[in-house]
Structure formats: structure tokens, C-alpha cells
Amino acid sequence: MPGWTCGISGCRAAFDDVESAIVHQTTEHQRHECKVCGTVIPDGYFAIRHAFDEHTRAEYVRAYDADSEDVRERERIKETVESTADLQSVVERING
């Protein structure tokens, strides 16, 4: 049974590995414009990473009308992906 689900806009595409899920999010979904700074980035993991690496939690909460549970959920996703994924292989797969 696949262990990773896309989750963008109700997408339920399932994958055996996290790297495939991130590649799917990056190549199969529209890009996301950050509501804090306007940077356009792939949706999903890369959008979460951008939000929490480039902005404060307070900026995220204000821009996305989020609450502390929203922040905690995305921090959990980011931590889980980063402790599991081979991000270099993701970049190589995306760049061909």
C-alpha cells in the first residue's frame, strides 16, 4: 500500500516513496504564489519549506489566515519529509 499521498487541492494521488510524491507535486500541479512575498514556487512540500524557511510563523499565520494547528501540521509535514526524502534525487528527477 502506498505510504504517501499528494493532498494538494484534494488530489489523492498515492506513491510508494516520498520522492515520487514531491516530484508529482512539482510537475503535475500549478505553482503557488507565496502570500507573504509573492515568490512563485511549486505547491506542496516546496511551498511549505519556503514559508517556514523564508518567513516567520507570524507572517505565515497573518498571510494565510492560519492558526497554530495549521502551523504545527505543516511543520510536521516538513520535518517528516526532510527526515525521509533524498531531496537531491528529487532535484535530479525534476531537472532531468
Side-chain angles (χ1 to χ4, degrees), residues 14-45:
F15 305 91
D16 291 329
D17 58 81
V18 67
E19 293 85 2
S20 295
I22 296 169
V23 170
H24 164 83
Q25 290 177 336
T26 303
T27 60
E28 300 299 320
H29 290 280
Q30 291 185 349
R31 303 255 172 189
H32 168 81
E33 182 177 345
C34 176
K35 291 182 181 181
V36 178
C37 68
T39 298
V40 177
I41 46 181
D43 207 350
Y45 164 72

Side-chain angles (χ1 to χ4, degrees), residues 3-95:
W4 296 88
T5 305
C6 175
I8 295 174
S9 300
C11 178
R12 301 305 299 166
F15 305 91
D16 291 329
D17 58 81
V18 67
E19 293 85 2
S20 295
I22 296 169
V23 170
H24 164 83
Q25 290 177 336
T26 303
T27 60
E28 300 299 320
H29 290 280
Q30 291 185 349
R31 303 255 172 189
H32 168 81
E33 182 177 345
C34 176
K35 291 182 181 181
V36 178
C37 68
T39 298
V40 177
I41 46 181
D43 207 350
Y45 164 72
F46 284 120
I48 292 170
R49 185 175 90 172
H50 169 83
F52 294 123
D53 287 356
E54 301 298 323
H55 307 296
T56 67
R57 300 321 186 242
E59 288 172 324
Y60 178 83
V61 167
R62 282 192 301 272
Y64 289 92
D65 194 28
D67 61 23
S68 59
E69 184 53 37
D70 295 324
V71 170
R72 283 192 294 275
E73 177 184 356
R74 283 156 183 82
E75 287 176 329
R76 281 191 296 270
I77 292 168
K78 183 177 181 291
E79 181 179 311
T80 301
V81 167
E82 290 176 352
S83 68
T84 306
D86 177 353
L87 294 175
Q88 182 59 41
S89 77
V90 170
V91 171
E92 289 170 3
R93 286 172 62 182
I94 292 168
N95 291 335

